């Protein structure tokens, strides 16, 4: 390792775009990630980027603790931390509580601000004088806002500011959406927890998120619905520790594969993979596979030769082993008594593409992995898929839920696919192609969009590798004590640890398509269970992850769900009237057409 301290100008650009540089690791703003990709669209960029992080406070919270944790989260490091709280979302009676506001204002104005050479100082200066954006955040109110505590400039060069709190931040406003990266906090109001989560999720980022509530049911509801990489319950939302709370965000808070720093997959982002030939096994049985996965393979069998079938089968068996060993179980490797720190996986939205000239067997192998992960999958294929797959896509289980989480199939040439990627910017693409340059070409077609993560390595039989594109990583940290005494409400529940390895393996006829681990829920004893990739979430309509309405190019009209417009959000876009399918800003309608 060599440390080179160079200018950000021409030298920086030359280093980042140099052909000898295989990957760039960035911790910085989303804008900087876009700048780097603008220079070199195919740049392999592993970036941890910006956040617009908030803490929800419900009426069942310990308000004293909530105020203390909000102040620590918002003003530690003068708010110049990617994980810092920028918003507090006050639910129900907290939103109108004079006591809460008085206490918050008191705590903020009591902070000792000054140079860090003074040991009494609690909040130091900014790293540099604020630019236009932060100046606006510190000085200009938006419509409906007022200062609960107005920030003041305390020195001549503009680096030292007292902390500020703006009240009345409204949904969709600049302060709701934009990261200012400085010592200023905004207060928002919500009638219900559901509305508060919608406000929390309505931003384009998904780095850290917090809740203060002593109601285990509320915490369970929040854990199931909040969209961020690092979740914090009844504690500050900054200060992640490597391994204990592996760090990294969702949505625009990360660029690239999104494996968390300090997590079990961090090193995998720095490698690449190729399949090695293996002898065919001589065994055709699909025993031990989940019924949904086995049904995909069986339905595809007529289109596969013996060796191709064997590849798919071996891959699916490897997936099952990797699932049991790594992905199915939410884990707390730190095992602290006073804080639960659970690392878990959640299903992602992925477009799987079979490029012209690529292997159908490899597509089936990849789709089998995605189905196991219960990812929301949209398939785009250059050739028609095996006929047996099409009815499966529309099939339901005994409870009437979709059997597979495949939201649609499009048959289209490479050029049409590339055009749709450019138009729709899906979050994740698993590209199956015989051309080793195809991933770079697709990245160039998007102009290097940081919104799109492309997995284009050759398809392997290894489940530990092939399941990754279909899963999001999440770290959950829950304070498990009250004033030093262990809090039974946050006790570890047995279902957290349960998985295929614990006797509930999802074997064909036994699980009947039911996932072995349920999403977070409150048990009768008041404990909160935290699940792994949970029940099927099938959205018909837009491409998974597509932020805009998908254009229909499917020639497979019998199998593809109707694409009359995304559904899922009860509110419509204020401009184009269409409904957003995900990251939906239900309480805060956002423009999705601009
Ligand atoms: N997600 C995370 O883990 C994380 C952690 C810390 C900060 N951040 C984010 O970073 C931002 C603030 O930090 P910052 O001011 O250091 O971010 P920045 O994006 O301005 O800079 C990040 C890095 O990129 C380099 N850089 C920027 N422009 C460059 C250029 N033209 N050529 C070469 N190098 C260039 C900088 O020197 C710095 O090392 C915030 O958005 C914050 O949320 C994210
Ligand atoms: N580990 C830090 C975030 C990393 C970037 O600043 C935290 O959790 O506050």
């Amino acid at each position: 390792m060599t440390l080179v301290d160079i200018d950000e100008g021409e030298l920086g650009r030359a280093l980042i775009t140099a052909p000898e540089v295989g990957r760039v690791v960035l911790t910085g703003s989303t804008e900087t990630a876009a700048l780097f990709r603008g220079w070199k669209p195919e740049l392999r960029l592993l970036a941890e980027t910006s956040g617009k992080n908030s803490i929800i406070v419900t009426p069942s919270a310990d308000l004293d603790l909530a105020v203390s944790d909000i102040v620590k989260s918002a003003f530690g490091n003068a708010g110049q931390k990617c994980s810092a709280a920028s918003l507090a979302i006050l639910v129900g009676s907290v939103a109108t509580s004079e006591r809460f506001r008085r206490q918050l204002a008191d705590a903020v104005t009591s902070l000792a601000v000054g140079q860090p050479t003074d040991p009494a100082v609690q909040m130091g200066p900014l790293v540099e004088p604020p630019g236009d954006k932060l100046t606006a955040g510190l000085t200009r109110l938006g419509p409906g806002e007022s200062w609960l505590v107005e920030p003041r400039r305390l020195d001549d060069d503009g680096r030292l500011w007292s902390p500020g709190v703006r009240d009345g931040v409204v949904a969709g406003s600049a302060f709701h959406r934009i990261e200012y990266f400085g010592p200023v906090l905004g207060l928002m109001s919500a009638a219900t927890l559901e509305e508060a989560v919608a406000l929390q999720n309505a931003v384009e980022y998904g780095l850290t998120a917090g809740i203060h509530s002593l109601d285990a049911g509320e915490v369970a509801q929040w854990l199931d619905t909040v969209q961020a990489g690092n979740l914090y319950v009844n504690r500050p939302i900054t200060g992640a520790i490597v391994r204990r709370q592996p760090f990294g965000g969702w949505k625009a808070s990360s660029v690239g594969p999104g494996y968390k720093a300090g997590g079990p997959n961090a090193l995998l982002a720095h490698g690449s993979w190729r399949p090695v030939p293996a002898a065919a096994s001589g065994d055709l049985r699909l025993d031990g596979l989940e019924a949904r996965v086995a049904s995909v393979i069986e339905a595809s069998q007529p289109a596969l030769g013996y060796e191709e079938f064997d590849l798919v089968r071996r891959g699916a068996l490897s997936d099952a082993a990797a699932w049991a060993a790594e992905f199915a179980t939410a884990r707390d490797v730190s095992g602290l008594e006073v804080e639960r720190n659970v690392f878990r996986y959640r299903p992602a939205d992925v477009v799987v593409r079979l490029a012209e000239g690529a292997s159908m067997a490899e597509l089936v192998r990849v789709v089998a992995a995605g189905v196991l992960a219960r990812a929301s999958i949209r398939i785009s294929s250059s050739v028609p898929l095996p006929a047996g797959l099409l009815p499966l896509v529309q099939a339901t289980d005994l409870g009437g839920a979709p059997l597979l989480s495949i939201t649609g199939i499009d048959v289209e040439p490479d050029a049409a696919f590339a055009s749709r990627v450019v138009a729709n910017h899906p979050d994740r693409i698993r590209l199956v192609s015989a051309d080793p340059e195809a991933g770079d070409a697709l990245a160039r077609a998007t102009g290097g969009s940081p919104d799109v993560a492309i997995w284009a390595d050759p398809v392997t039989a290894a489940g530990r590798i092939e399941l990754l594109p279909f899963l999001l990583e999440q770290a959950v940290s829950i304070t498990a004590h009250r004033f030093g005494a262990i809090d039974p409400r946050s006790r570890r529940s047995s279902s957290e640890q349960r998985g295929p390895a614990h006797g509930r393996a999802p074997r064909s006829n036994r699980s009947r398509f039911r996932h072995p681990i349920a999403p977070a829920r409150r048990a009768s004893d008041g404990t909160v269970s935290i699940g792994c990739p949970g029940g099927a979430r099938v959205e018909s309509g837009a491409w998974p992850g597509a932020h805009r309405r998908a254009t229909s190019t499917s020639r497979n009209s019998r199998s593809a769900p109707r694409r009359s417009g995304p559904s899922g959000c009860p509110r419509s876009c204020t401009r184009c009237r269409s409904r957003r399918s995900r990251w939906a800003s239900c309480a805060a309608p956002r423009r999705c057409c601009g």
Side-chain angles (χ1 to χ4, degrees):
M1 178 177 282
T2 307
L3 177 65
V4 194
D5 191 0
I6 55 166
D7 285 346
E8 287 184 0
E10 280 309 301
L11 276 179
R13 178 174 181 158
L15 178 64
I16 284 156
T17 57
E20 296 84 357
V21 172
R23 281 169 178 72
V24 171
V25 182
L26 167 71
T27 297
S29 67
T30 305
E31 290 84 357
T32 301
L35 177 75
F36 290 1
R37 278 281 186 77
W39 293 337
K40 186 175 177 181
E42 68 276 24
L43 181 68
R44 302 258 198 293
L45 184 60
L46 313 170
E48 294 292 351
T49 49
S50 313
K52 183 72 189 182
N53 315 307
S54 54
I55 300 177
I56 292 175
V57 185
T58 78
S60 51
D62 177 332
L63 294 187
D64 299 342
L65 200 60
V67 167
S68 167
D69 287 348
I70 288 169
V71 170
K72 282 180 194 146
S73 306
F75 303 114
N77 293 73
Q80 297 204 297
K81 247 194 169 193
C82 56
S83 48
S86 176
L87 292 165
I89 304 173
L90 313 179
V91 180
S93 58
V94 187
T96 53
S97 165
E98 278 306 311
R99 176 195 170 232
F100 179 84
R101 277 183 173 69
R102 212 171 37 241
Q103 198 165 344
L104 179 64
D106 185 38
V108 173
T109 51
S110 306
L111 285 174
V113 182
Q115 298 301 330
T117 43
D118 177 353
V121 158
Q122 292 165 293
M123 195 184 101
L126 302 171
V127 292
E128 59 188 5
D132 291 346
K133 188 161 78 166
L134 181 52
T135 300
L138 289 166
T139 59
R140 284 201 287 282
L141 293 172
E145 295 173 1
S146 59
W147 290 115
L148 180 67
V149 179
E150 185 167 4
R152 283 173 301 112
R153 184 176 153 162
L154 302 176
D155 68 353
D156 288 340
D157 75 355
R159 287 183 58 208
L160 205 57
W161 287 76
S162 66
V165 182
R166 58 175 72 211
D167 207 348
V169 173
V170 294
S173 64
F175 202 84
H176 180 202
R177 294 177 292 106
I178 295 172
E179 180 195 55
Y180 287 95
F181 213 61
V184 56
L185 171 77
L187 301 183
M188 301 185 82
S189 301
T192 61
L193 174 58
E194 197 180 11
E195 197 181 299
V197 177
L199 291 170
Q200 194 165 41
N201 288 342
V203 298
E204 65 177 304
Y205 305 106
L207 191 53
T208 62
I211 188 170
H212 259 276
S213 167
L214 297 179
D215 180 314
E218 286 183 346
V219 172
Q221 177 186 345
W222 182 74
L223 288 171
D224 274 353
T225 48
V226 61
Q227 296 159 353
N230 281 67
L231 308 184
Y232 297 94
V233 179
N234 296 329
R235 51 151 288 172
I237 65 170
T238 57
I241 294 170
V242 165
R243 185 168 181 265
R244 189 180 293 177
Q245 296 108 2
F247 194 76
W250 292 5
K251 296 155 75 178
S253 294
S254 95
V255 178
Y259 308 144
K260 282 171 176 292
N265 303 310
L267 281 179
L268 297 180
H270 299 268
S272 54
W273 314 98
R274 64 185 164 78
V276 289
S281 58
D283 186 348
L284 291 174
R285 285 174 301 174
L286 298 177
D287 293 3
L289 298 182
E290 257 202 57
R292 295 171 306 113
V293 175
S295 68
V296 168
I297 299 173
E298 277 161 3
S300 309
Q301 187 174 357
L304 306 175
Y306 181 82
E307 285 183 1
E308 291 176 318
F309 180 84
D310 188 63
L311 165 85
V312 173
R313 181 181 161 280
R314 276 188 291 115
L317 288 170
S318 173
D319 291 347
W323 188 255
E326 170 63 29
F327 300 110
T329 310
R331 282 202 185 79
D332 182 349
V333 290
S334 304
L336 305 179
E337 283 294 306
V338 293
E339 185 178 76
R340 292 169 59 198
N341 291 292
V342 174
F343 179 83
R344 64 178 184 172
Y345 295 90
R346 312 295 282 165
D349 294 344
V350 186
V351 172
V352 176
R353 167 69 185 168
L354 179 68
E356 290 166 18
S359 151
M360 178 61 72
E362 291 184 354
L363 176 82
V364 176
R365 187 266 168 279
V366 166
V367 169
V371 165
L372 179 63
R374 290 190 184 271
S376 174
I377 304 166
R378 185 93 187 180
I379 300 175
S380 167
S381 174
S382 53
V383 293
L385 296 185
L389 265 183
L390 308 186
L392 268 185
V393 171
Q394 292 175 322
T396 56
D397 67 12
L398 297 177
L403 176 60
L404 307 180
S405 46
I406 297 174
T407 62
I409 299 171
D410 304 289
V411 179
E412 58 196 343
D414 283 350
F417 172 71
S419 304
R420 287 213 299 146
V421 169
V422 171
N424 293 290
H425 282 208
D427 284 351
R428 293 177 165 215
I429 299 173
R430 178 55 170 117
L431 181 61
V432 179
S433 174
D435 175 4
E437 302 299 318
D440 287 353
L442 191 58
R444 281 194 290 273
T446 70
S449 168
D451 298 341
V452 186
I454 301 171
W455 280 258
D457 281 339
V459 174
T460 71
R464 188 66 182 76
I465 302 298
E466 296 300 338
L467 280 160
L468 288 170
F470 297 100
L471 293 164
L472 292 160
E473 300 179 355
Q474 196 172 54
V476 185
S477 185
I478 305 177
T479 295
H481 70 95
R482 294 272 298 151
F483 310 108
I486 298 300
D487 182 357
R489 276 169 296 215
S490 54
R491 205 172 50 217
R492 176 177 322 214
S493 83
S494 56
S495 74
E496 238 176 78
Q497 303 296 325
R498 205 183 295 138
H502 287 72
R504 288 184 54 128
R507 310 231 176 231
S508 308
N509 295 326
R510 199 160 140 213
S511 67
R512 273 328 280 177
F513 318 133
R514 187 169 159 269
H515 197 271
I517 300 178
R521 65 179 189 278
R522 183 186 181 170
S524 54
D525 67 353
T527 58
V528 181
S529 316
I530 304 171
C532 265
R537 299 171 309 113
V538 177
E539 294 168 355
S540 60
W543 274 10
H547 288 241
R548 296 181 198 90
R549 187 189 294 267
T551 51
S552 168
T553 55
S554 170
R555 296 206 295 265
N556 229 333
S557 56
R558 275 195 323 132
S559 65
R562 286 181 55 225
R563 256 168 277 114
S564 57
S567 61
C569 173
R571 301 246 179 128
S572 300
C573 166
T574 47
R575 274 175 60 196
C576 71
R577 308 251 168 248
S578 69
R579 287 179 170 189
R580 293 173 60 78
S581 63
R582 56 187 297 281
W583 313 137
S585 162
C586 300
R590 226 164 44 113
R591 291 201 297 267
C592 60
C593 49

